[in-house]
Amino acid sequence: MAYRRTPAVQARLDAQREAVLQSAVGLLAERGYGGCTMAAVADRAGIATGSLYQHFANKAELSVELFRRVVTREIAAVNAAVARRDAPQQRIAAVVETFAARALRAPRLAYALLVEPADAVVDGERLVFRRAFRDVIATEIAAAVAAGELPEQDPVLTAAALVGAVGEALAGPLAAEPAPAHEPAPAHEPAPAHEPAHEPAHSDNTTVVPALVSFTLRALGGRDDSDA
């Protein structure tokens, strides 16, 4: 006779799985994929590493679930920002503004989501992530074209180009973040007393988001208010 879990046992396992995912999100934001090992996640969640394998067969499987959770949260934030705008061009700007601003506020997490080397299955999830943002933008471009606010164009092609351009523009600032806390500098190479231990991710990240919004509106063929 096959063993059937009682509701109490299933509830305990579900709670443990949720704790694992929350711990993994925290580690991903602090250390990136490289530091988000099975052992580290188990330790953060307060369980034995063996118990973690009850929920995820390997790091790749955990990473995919983790990626989907974080991406779902980011897409929800973008959709909420879009819903607060009226005009199609403003809605497109809201996608770029929200995505870029959130990435720069959590650079290590964004770097892990966008460009950090990871398992092949994670790269597949990244493609789904980019397409989701592309589709949000493409919908608004099509609406703006239909309303006569933008010139005729292929909404999907333009949206895909914008997603690629924004991701590439953010890659530099995100990659410039200091090394994770679990990777300290060698003891024999201390930072000089007259210099900071590291430089900030970008000399003026406050200009990045407005510049990307302006670029987006210009690329669409619309009017950028800074032109006035």
Side-chain angles (χ1 to χ4, degrees):
M1 181 177 178
Y3 169 74
R4 298 184 63 181
R5 294 171 178 165
T6 66
V9 170
Q10 188 60 55
R12 179 179 62 79
L13 289 173
D14 290 345
Q16 188 177 78
R17 190 175 190 275
E18 179 61 25
V20 165
L21 286 170
Q22 290 183 6
S23 298
V25 170
L27 283 170
L28 187 66
E30 295 169 15
R31 307 180 183 179
Y33 277 115
C36 199
T37 65
M38 296 290 275
V41 171
D43 182 66
R44 176 67 65 90
I47 63 175
T49 303
S51 297
L52 180 56
Y53 285 97
Q54 292 182 326
H55 303 284
F56 301 99
N58 49 47
K59 181 180 176 180
E61 186 175 301
L62 171 61
S63 296
V64 167
E65 185 66 24
L66 172 59
F67 190 92
R68 289 176 180 174
R69 167 167 293 211
V70 177
V71 165
T72 297
R73 184 179 68 189
E74 294 306 304
I75 292 175
V78 165
N79 283 328
V82 168
R84 292 193 292 269
R85 307 291 178 90
D86 296 324
Q89 287 191 66
Q90 292 178 347
R91 292 161 72 91
I92 297 167
V95 176
V96 174
E97 180 180 36
T98 304
F99 174 71
R102 288 175 65 86
L104 292 171
R105 285 200 299 269
R108 196 171 303 288
L109 177 62
Y111 180 75
L113 292 177
L114 295 172
V115 294
E116 183 179 351
D119 297 297
V121 291
V122 173
D123 287 334
E125 292 299 316
R126 283 176 174 153
L127 181 58
V128 174
F129 182 35
R130 290 196 296 270
R131 286 174 175 169
F133 278 102
R134 178 203 66 187
D135 291 346
V136 172
I137 295 174
T139 297
E140 300 305 330
I141 292 176
V145 170
E149 296 183 9
L150 291 177
E152 286 293 331
Q153 56 194 287
D154 182 332
V156 174
L157 180 62
T158 301
L162 286 172
V163 170
V166 171
E168 181 64 23
L170 289 173
L174 297 179
E177 276 297 289
H182 73 297
E183 296 177 1
H188 62 282
E189 294 182 6
H194 62 285
E195 294 180 4
H198 56 75
E199 293 297 325
H202 194 278
S203 59
D204 187 9
N205 274 341
T206 60
T207 67
V208 173
V209 176
L212 285 174
V213 171
S214 179
F215 163 79
T216 297
L217 294 175
R218 293 169 190 267
L220 291 169
R223 180 179 180 276
D224 176 10
D225 289 340
S226 66
D227 293 333

